[in-house]
Amino acid sequence: MQGNDPERTKPMEKWECTVCGYIYDPAKGDPDNGVVPGTRFEDIPDTWVCPECGVTKDNFRKLA
């Protein structure tokens, strides 16, 4: 067993704010709010809010 984490091998997915339509792109992150590029949505702290409208992470949905 090599100890590979299946979560780390999944492609990074974009998430959309259901309130304002802001798209969180993990390739870009949200550097203005302390989220470096390459950060998966699931790894963003729960205290993070949408930079456009201020709602919490539970108001985002994964884009297909």
Side-chain angles (χ1 to χ4, degrees):
M1 196 163 156
Q2 297 178 353
N4 291 335
D5 181 355
E7 290 298 311
R8 297 286 154 224
T9 59
K10 290 183 353 186
M12 290 194 289
E13 298 166 308
K14 295 180 182 180
W15 290 70
E16 179 182 27
C17 177
T18 59
V19 175
C20 73
Y22 170 81
I23 304 292
Y24 175 75
D25 182 349
K28 296 178 182 177
D30 182 16
D32 292 341
N33 293 295
V35 180
V36 298
T39 303
R40 295 174 187 278
F41 187 79
E42 296 87 341
D43 295 334
I44 298 172
D46 289 336
T47 55
W48 180 83
V49 296
C50 176
E52 297 293 322
C53 70
V55 299
T56 57
K57 283 178 61 178
D58 60 344
N59 288 287
F60 279 72
R61 67 176 177 92
K62 188 185 310 184
L63 293 178

